[in-house]
Amino acid sequence: MEGSCKRSRSLVWNYFDLVSPSKVKCMICDKQLAFSSNTSSMLRHLRSTHPGVTEEYDNPAVSAHTGTSKQGRQEELDEALVDMVIKDLQPFSTVEDKGFKAFVNKLDPSYILPTRKALKAMVQAKYCAAKEKAMAEVKQATYVSLTSDMWTSINMDGYLGVTCHYVTAEAKLATVLLCVSQFPQTHTAAHITESMSGLMTDWGISGKIHCMVTDNAANLVATAQLLKVRHVPCFAHTLNLVVKKAIDQTPKLQVIRQKARKIVSLFRSSCNAKEKLSEMQQLMGRPVQKVVQEVDTRWNSTYDMLQRLYDQREAVGAALSNLNTEVVPLTSGEYDIISECLTLLLPLKHATAEMSAEKMVSASKMIPLYRMLQHTISEKSTKVTREESIQLGVHLKESLRSRFHTLESTRVLALATLLDPRFKTIGFGNPDRVREAERQLTLECASLMRSSPDTVHVTPQEPQPSTSALAPSLEAACPTDNLWQLLDLRVSEAQRVHSATADATVEVQRYLMDAYLGRQEDPLLYWKERITVYPSLYQLAIKYLCLPATSVPSERIFSKAGEVLCKKRSRLKPSTAEQIIFLNKND
């Protein structure tokens, strides 16, 4: 208590921490001094060791007129430093680097850099405030959807990442990182379920979760089942499986792919080959570009590898002919096959990129986008001439149908499509599925109307008056033993259900007859402007349109985590890493 009082009276406490009743520590150099209820020794230390910070004590005029502003300036720069560490994922040790210290001193000699420990404490304080704010915002959401994924760090530590998606009161799609926490247990569904249950309770979303989107990993699918949450497979991962299978089923394309990998490996591992390629590109007036390495887990990297080789085919061929290597170049016929196959694969690449965008309504696109992919690939298949390209087109269509043919019968996706004013019924391909989706939407809308606070509920204590002229005399004769009470209640409930169903039917049909929204426009803005026109459908729209189409948000968390948990920061605690990533992603 005494230390805190001293802090409020003396600006010396801006540079010292009370570590015990008789000890203080300098925040600039970490030196500890004896403390006996006065600041004299602390001020002497500052004057002798850090003379640049004592101007406000040694010059009363400066202290009187600028002391407060200096303190405010110190806090302002501290906050900017914390933001830099978070946004650029810089290590706390940055403040100890000689070059950084000299740079800061040149910019503002009066600014005292915090110690590494002080900076870490500032980040922790910012994390606590940001998490509290995020929790308050998430608790305001009526419905949320989750994405989840598992990851292993460079230190072979397991991590669980979870993101939350919801529609705000301003009808904006919001994404919040809930956690990217160390997961020391085995990655079984039971352990993941236990961890996620605690997380859901902490964030107050246990009864609000509409769906969970993950890849096709069996443990994550089982986790959704154990949590009794609807599971939706990641569209991007499924599309990746579609393309990889189609390529694997096209033998000649596989041979070309293997040859391409060897060519790329040469130019990325040999300095001589790399320089020769650059030389050839300049001589031919081509852009100086590096070849692209394929990543086994991402099919679009295969596309990028083949596309770059095709674009630089003359320079690549010339460079290989001038190198002493056993790597076999691609032939002109093979490049023709690559060109036609790239034409077939391009729509799938566009679809992957579009569906992986964050802060955009996406789940409602899955059904219409699948239909457009079928149509586009069928159309492009008629224009290719090479046998290998024709085979690839057939395999792509078969694989698409095999993986996505159940989309229209998936209730959450069908209702999301129907509630997206850009698509409605025209987004479907099967008329029976359209009728079923309309029926389900009407039933859910009617259920919402019946459960509305404005609805009058009939209770056994207050039965509705009978319409029969004889009823009053019967009730008067037997007020405590109404023979017809059960039937009267059932009739009343049936009337209420009928009324709600009729009202829901009217609201749904009015919406479906309304004009379509442009494909590039925001469906959430549409619903915000019509909240009074379609009040029940608005509630269902924010429920179904907050669902992301992919689990990419969780994967992007781990891309950031890889930058934080690197060799330079091998001593960083998992809890501190989580704080930094939380602030970085939720900024």
Side-chain angles (χ1 to χ4, degrees):
M1 288 295 295
E2 186 177 3
S4 63
C5 292
K6 291 284 184 181
R7 289 170 192 263
S8 65
R9 291 200 298 267
S10 174
L11 291 175
V12 171
W13 287 105
N14 289 336
Y15 308 102
F16 283 89
D17 268 334
L18 187 67
V19 294
S20 75
S22 60
K23 290 279 187 181
V24 292
K25 184 173 71 172
C26 176
M27 296 170 63
I28 302 173
C29 65
D30 284 348
K31 183 174 181 178
Q32 293 193 6
L33 306 174
F35 174 66
S36 57
S37 303
N38 67 72
T39 61
S40 301
S41 62
M42 297 149 66
L43 185 55
R44 281 196 300 272
H45 173 78
L46 289 177
R47 284 173 175 160
S48 62
T49 312
H50 314 291
V53 305
T54 59
E55 180 184 0
E56 56 192 305
Y57 307 103
D58 297 332
N59 188 335
V62 170
S63 179
H65 294 291
T66 66
T68 302
S69 62
K70 277 196 169 190
Q71 185 176 357
R73 176 64 173 165
Q74 177 78 21
E75 292 174 356
E76 181 184 352
L77 292 176
D78 283 345
E79 186 174 348
L81 177 64
V82 170
D83 287 343
M84 182 201 77
V85 168
I86 292 167
K87 291 177 181 177
D88 298 339
L89 303 177
Q90 294 295 321
F92 296 137
S93 60
T94 297
V95 295
E96 298 173 347
D97 294 342
K98 292 181 179 180
F100 183 73
K101 284 183 174 181
F103 177 69
V104 170
N105 187 59
K106 286 288 185 182
L107 290 176
D108 190 343
S110 66
Y111 175 56
I112 306 302
L113 277 168
T115 64
R116 178 176 178 170
K117 292 180 180 178
L119 179 59
K120 181 179 178 181
M122 292 177 191
V123 169
Q124 185 175 11
K126 189 176 180 73
Y127 164 77
C128 291
K131 185 174 181 179
E132 186 177 348
K133 181 182 177 183
M135 280 182 151
E137 291 175 354
V138 170
K139 285 177 181 177
Q140 295 299 315
T142 309
Y143 306 101
V144 302
S145 291
L146 305 179
T147 74
S148 183
D149 203 1
M150 304 293 295
W151 175 73
T152 303
S153 73
I154 191 173
N155 298 321
M156 300 307 294
D157 294 322
Y159 281 82
L160 172 67
V162 182
T163 66
C164 176
H165 307 260
Y166 61 96
V167 178
T168 67
E170 293 75 32
K172 299 289 184 182
L173 200 60
T175 298
V176 173
L177 168 62
L178 300 188
C179 81
V180 54
S181 55
Q182 190 177 20
F183 199 84
Q185 307 99 316
T186 53
H187 297 180
T188 63
H191 287 150
I192 300 172
T193 300
E194 183 181 0
S195 180
M196 289 197 66
S197 295
L199 182 72
M200 289 154 53
T201 301
D202 290 344
W203 282 80
I205 58 173
S206 297
K208 300 180 179 181
I209 300 174
H210 177 222
C211 285
M212 186 166 81
V213 182
T214 73
D215 60 22
N216 297 305
N219 56 348
L220 292 175
V221 175
T223 296
Q225 294 173 345
L226 291 172
L227 290 170
K228 294 181 172 55
V229 173
R230 294 184 187 90
H231 177 263
V232 176
C234 170
F235 186 88
H237 276 89
T238 307
L239 205 58
N240 187 62
L241 295 174
V242 166
V243 180
K244 286 175 70 67
K245 182 178 180 180
I247 292 176
D248 290 343
Q249 290 176 325
T250 311
K252 180 61 177 178
L253 183 57
Q254 274 288 69
V255 172
I256 294 173
R257 179 185 171 201
Q258 293 302 323
K259 289 179 69 174
R261 287 171 66 100
K262 291 180 181 179
I263 293 171
V264 169
S265 179
L266 172 67
F267 286 114
R268 291 184 69 90
S269 61
S270 168
C271 293
N272 185 37
K274 179 183 176 182
E275 291 172 3
K276 182 60 67 175
L277 176 60
S278 177
E279 179 186 338
M280 292 297 106
Q281 288 171 335
Q282 293 177 58
L283 284 174
M284 295 179 176
R286 302 292 299 169
V288 178
Q289 297 173 323
K290 296 179 181 179
V291 290
V292 178
Q293 183 64 274
E294 179 189 51
V295 179
D296 288 331
T297 55
R298 293 191 298 112
W299 83 265
N300 47 350
S301 67
T302 304
Y303 180 97
D304 293 336
M305 176 183 71
L306 295 176
Q307 181 69 66
R308 180 59 55 83
L309 285 177
Y310 181 80
D311 291 343
Q312 297 286 350
R313 57 192 180 278
E314 294 92 350
V316 168
L320 286 173
S321 65
N322 283 277
L323 293 170
N324 183 19
T325 177
E326 295 181 357
V327 174
V328 180
L330 293 166
T331 66
S332 59
E334 288 172 330
Y335 275 122
D336 289 341
I337 294 171
I338 288 176
S339 178
E340 289 193 350
C341 289
L342 290 175
T343 300
L344 293 173
L345 292 171
L346 184 59
L348 294 150
K349 180 177 172 63
H350 288 319
T352 301
E354 181 172 349
M355 296 297 268
S356 300
E358 292 189 49
K359 295 191 177 179
M360 299 286 289
V361 172
S362 56
S364 58
K365 293 181 181 179
M366 291 173 70
I367 290 173
L369 186 58
Y370 159 59
R371 292 187 58 220
M372 293 303 99
L373 284 172
Q374 280 186 313
H375 169 75
T376 305
I377 293 172
S378 295
E379 191 176 64
K380 288 181 177 291
S381 295
T382 63
K383 299 177 182 179
V384 297
T385 58
R386 294 278 183 170
E387 181 182 350
E388 296 79 8
S389 310
I390 294 170
Q391 286 180 9
L392 179 64
V394 171
H395 296 321
L396 283 172
K397 288 184 287 184
E398 289 177 349
S399 191
L400 274 170
R401 190 178 304 110
S402 172
R403 292 282 180 178
F404 291 120
H405 74 281
T406 60
L407 285 182
E408 291 190 15
S409 58
T410 303
R411 182 170 172 271
V412 292
L413 298 180
L415 292 185
T417 303
L418 202 60
L419 284 164
D420 192 323
R422 298 171 296 177
F423 308 124
K424 299 184 186 179
T425 59
I426 207 169
F428 293 79
N430 187 330
D432 292 336
R433 297 302 180 193
V434 173
R435 286 190 288 272
E436 177 60 20
E438 285 187 39
R439 188 183 73 83
Q440 291 286 347
L441 183 60
T442 303
L443 288 174
E444 195 159 343
C445 186
S447 177
L448 200 62
M449 289 177 173
R450 290 197 301 274
S451 62
S452 170
D454 296 331
T455 302
V456 178
H457 296 279
V458 181
T459 63
Q461 289 74 26
E462 297 178 353
Q464 288 290 318
S466 170
T467 55
S468 169
L470 187 58
S473 61
L474 286 174
E475 291 177 4
C478 320
T480 60
D481 186 18
N482 187 350
L483 177 64
W484 295 94
Q485 184 181 52
L486 177 62
L487 186 138
D488 290 344
L489 289 174
R490 288 181 175 176
V491 169
S492 177
E493 177 63 21
Q495 289 174 337
R496 197 160 62 87
V497 170
H498 176 77
S499 176
T501 303
D503 291 343
T505 302
V506 170
E507 187 167 327
V508 169
Q509 293 305 315
R510 282 179 61 200
Y511 157 68
L512 293 177
M513 292 176 65
D514 202 355
Y516 281 84
L517 194 66
R519 191 173 58 83
Q520 300 296 337
E521 295 186 57
D522 184 1
L524 293 177
L525 181 60
Y526 168 95
W527 284 110
K528 181 183 178 182
E529 293 172 347
R530 290 162 179 78
I531 188 171
T532 56
V533 180
Y534 309 119
S536 297
L537 287 180
Y538 172 82
Q539 294 299 321
L540 296 177
I542 65 173
K543 175 181 179 180
Y544 285 96
L545 297 184
C546 72
L547 174 66
T550 74
S551 59
V552 170
S554 294
E555 294 178 18
R556 286 180 176 147
I557 293 169
F558 295 133
S559 296
K560 289 292 183 183
E563 296 177 45
V564 175
L565 296 162
C566 58
K567 290 182 179 179
K568 193 174 181 180
R569 311 183 80 170
S570 58
R571 293 184 299 165
L572 194 67
K573 291 182 179 178
S575 58
T576 305
E578 179 173 7
Q579 293 172 10
I580 294 170
I581 299 166
F582 181 93
L583 290 168
N584 181 277
K585 291 300 292 182
N586 290 338
D587 185 22

